[in-house]
Amino acid sequence: MFNGAILIGASERQGGEPFFAINPATGARSDVAFSSATPAEVEEAAGLADAAFESFSTLSPDARAAFLETVADNIVAIGDLLIDTAMAETGLPRARLEGERGRTVGQLRLFASYVRLGDWLDATIDVALPDRQPLPRADLRRVNQSVGPVAVFGASNFPLAFSVAGGDTASAFAAGSPVVVKGHSAHPGTGELVARAIQAAVKSRGLHEGVFSYLPGNGNALGAALVAEPRIKAVGFTGSRGGGTALMKIAAGRAEPIPVYAEMSSINPVVLLPGALAHRAEAMGAAFVGSLTMGSGQFCTNPGLVIALDGPDLDRFVAAAAEALSGAQPQVMLTPGIHAAYERGVAALVGAQGVATVARGTEAEGGNRGQAAFFATDAATFRSNPVLAEEVFGSSSVLIRCSSIEEMVATVAGLEGQLTATLQIGAGDEADAATLLPTLSRKVGRILTNGWPTGVEVTHAMVHGGPFPSTSDGRSTSVGTLAMMRFLRPVCYQDVPDALLPPPLQAANPWGLTRRVEGRLEVAA
Ligand code: NAP
């Protein structure tokens, strides 16, 4: 009866409770019956990951990088089958998925090049001072090492770039962590194709089979069992606030609590300053709607809140945005559940006291399509009703009309943590921008000026994180090479003989690393 597989190390199984993919564009159920992993398979995968830890976490940078590159090559080699499968399971268009595949293999290759640099090991040496008075100092050498096996939850809204071989998996592998993936139940066929590509890379690179396992399934029990499994040492997650906080509670309640790096909910405020409004209100209105409706608004960086000084220039922005939005075509949403949650969120805003509907997108024909929505209110109403600050995942945004810059600052100060904040500035806005920036920087992980928050570059400097509830740990990022740091911890070796030290700390520096010696960087030749 089953066609979909569970991958445990080098083996594959079928069984458990069958589940099916739904084509969100048509509502049709897949012919394939997917297998669900059982608690026994969670244990088995975690046991193998634990057994793989020592050999995988101590691989040379070159060997680890070559593995990441092989995963990337194998994903490319799947070809159109991957794109066609993802289109049928997510309703996302071909061009978007081809771009996302490029981003997925690009980030695997970026991590490979960064792993080769070796500076993430942060090899640091304070040599012994035997003659120091009144007491001698020991030889102290510190290096980063993997925290252990990592559980990764694939995200619904990035079936490639934030799913089975997405940013969490790539950064965990880069850090030397074996990975057990809980596949998202909305795109199981896509997930399995990518999982097989990773499994093949593990084999062809001669690595321990436990470096990777793939556990598909739907229902909360599987994910809960994975986070509770004692051999799992950290968790990467992208999804809902409810899901993320549930996993944080499970992780904190374990006999050995572990960190959960959950990226959850964010409404990404866009602040329009008076000079920007005076000079380009209409252009900003149209560009805002472009960002709001991209991908049916199903981005964690979607601009769900606009904060601006009330007046005729803001009216011009609103008129331009309303015109652009009323022509916005409804787009297929990722799952019936996500569409239903969007409809509930919009209905709550339509019915909220003191909130006006500025514009709606074209009415949706056919099921599971999101009809865009833009609302407006004043700062006092916004402050008094917490529902207005909740994420509505999809193309929905609320404008706050403020009476002064001070009220704009107070509105920002009252917000929860966010992934991004955007400042639209023009001539004469410098002083207001300088007033707002310190408050904004306390709230977010990334501040943009004169851009739009959707579209996240995968680079070394990127921060895709922020204070709770945008993430569970505002000290981290889930995009960019810094994401590796979530899965590393420092270990200090004191007076350990050279031959017993890990290679990054040995006197001969066999990996040719740049190291910090007595506080000064010694750059590799
Ligand atoms: P989700 O419901 O949080 O699910 C994400 C993953 O976590 C799934 O694999 C799910 O497993 C698992 N999970 C959820 N709750 C759990 C629990 N209590 N215990 C154990 N495992 C749990 O997110 P989603 O399915 O992607 O979308 C639902 C909503 O999430 C959206 O409407 C949106 O509000 C939000 N979302 C936000 C972002 C963002 O970037 N901010 C991205 C995507 C989604 P099962 O599905 O198998 O139960």
Side-chain angles (χ1 to χ4, degrees), residues 153 156-157 182-185 217-220 223-224 237-240 243 246-247 263-265 300 338 341 391 393:
F153 285 72
S156 59
N157 59 339
K182 186 320 193 159
H184 199 288
S185 47
N218 67 357
N220 296 344
F237 169 94
T238 301
S240 65
L247 299 183
E263 197 244 284
M264 299 174 285
S265 85
C300 31
I338 286 176
E391 180 186 50
F393 193 66

Side-chain angles (χ1 to χ4, degrees), residues 117 119 123 509 511-517 520-525:
L117 284 180
D119 52 358
N509 193 8
W511 289 354
L513 300 170
T514 292
R515 307 193 291 191
R516 189 173 292 278
V517 180
R520 300 177 75 88
L521 274 186
E522 285 189 357
V523 180

Side-chain angles (χ1 to χ4, degrees), residues 175-193:
S177 291
V179 170
V180 181
V181 166
K182 186 320 193 159
H184 199 288
S185 47
H187 52 257
T190 311
E192 188 175 323
L193 286 170

Side-chain angles (χ1 to χ4, degrees), residues 318-319 321-323 325 355-360 373-377 397 399 401:
V318 169
E323 192 187 335
L325 196 84
V355 176
T357 302
V358 173
R360 296 296 308 266
F374 187 30
F375 301 94
T377 190
S397 191
L399 166 69
R401 292 178 178 273

Side-chain angles (χ1 to χ4, degrees), residues 152-442:
V152 168
F153 285 72
S156 59
N157 59 339
F158 281 93
L160 300 173
F162 261 82
S163 205
V164 176
D168 285 339
T169 299
S171 56
F173 279 158
S177 291
V179 170
V180 181
V181 166
K182 186 320 193 159
H184 199 288
S185 47
H187 52 257
T190 311
E192 188 175 323
L193 286 170
V194 175
R196 288 184 185 280
I198 301 176
Q199 191 187 49
V202 171
K203 188 170 179 206
S204 67
R205 285 279 151 202
L207 303 179
H208 188 293
E209 60 168 324
V211 164
F212 176 73
S213 289
Y214 170 68
L215 306 177
N218 67 357
N220 296 344
L222 172 59
L226 182 58
V227 175
E229 160 57 52
R231 287 161 293 192
I232 295 295
K233 301 301 180 193
V235 179
F237 169 94
T238 301
S240 65
R241 184 170 178 167
T245 49
L247 299 183
M248 286 164 68
K249 279 198 189 111
I250 294 169
R254 291 170 33 135
E256 180 199 356
I258 54 168
V260 174
Y261 296 99
E263 197 244 284
M264 299 174 285
S265 85
S266 181
I267 54 173
N268 305 297
V270 176
V271 181
L272 310 178
L273 288 177
L277 280 171
H279 292 102
R280 49 175 208 274
E282 284 82 6
M284 285 194 305
F288 158 67
V289 170
S291 177
L292 177 67
T293 56
M294 185 192 292
S296 207
Q298 300 168 116
F299 290 114
C300 31
T301 51
N302 193 53
L305 190 70
V306 181
I307 300 170
L309 202 59
D310 207 1
D313 290 335
L314 181 59
D315 292 341
R316 290 195 291 123
F317 169 86
V318 169
E323 192 187 335
L325 196 84
S326 55
Q329 294 301 313
Q331 296 168 54
V332 177
M333 297 193 80
L334 291 159
T335 68
I338 286 176
H339 178 246
Y342 175 72
E343 291 287 315
R344 279 196 304 277
V346 168
L349 292 171
V350 168
Q353 207 172 12
V355 176
T357 302
V358 173
R360 296 296 308 266
T362 308
E363 208 156 322
E365 275 177 30
N368 214 22
R369 267 91 177 151
Q371 186 189 358
F374 187 30
F375 301 94
T377 190
D378 57 72
T381 305
F382 183 71
R383 270 198 304 277
S384 68
N385 185 356
V387 169
L388 305 185
E390 281 176 15
E391 180 186 50
V392 178
F393 193 66
S395 301
S396 171
S397 191
V398 179
L399 166 69
I400 317 296
R401 292 178 178 273
C402 296
S403 57
S404 63
I405 294 293
E406 290 69 33
E407 190 164 60
M408 292 170 72
V409 175
T411 302
V412 170
L415 295 176
E416 295 186 301
Q418 307 290 335
L419 294 171
T420 72
T422 303
L423 267 181
Q424 294 290 346
I425 53 178
D429 285 332
E430 293 77 10
D432 289 341
T435 304
L436 274 156
L437 270 170
T439 311
L440 283 174
S441 74
R442 289 181 67 173

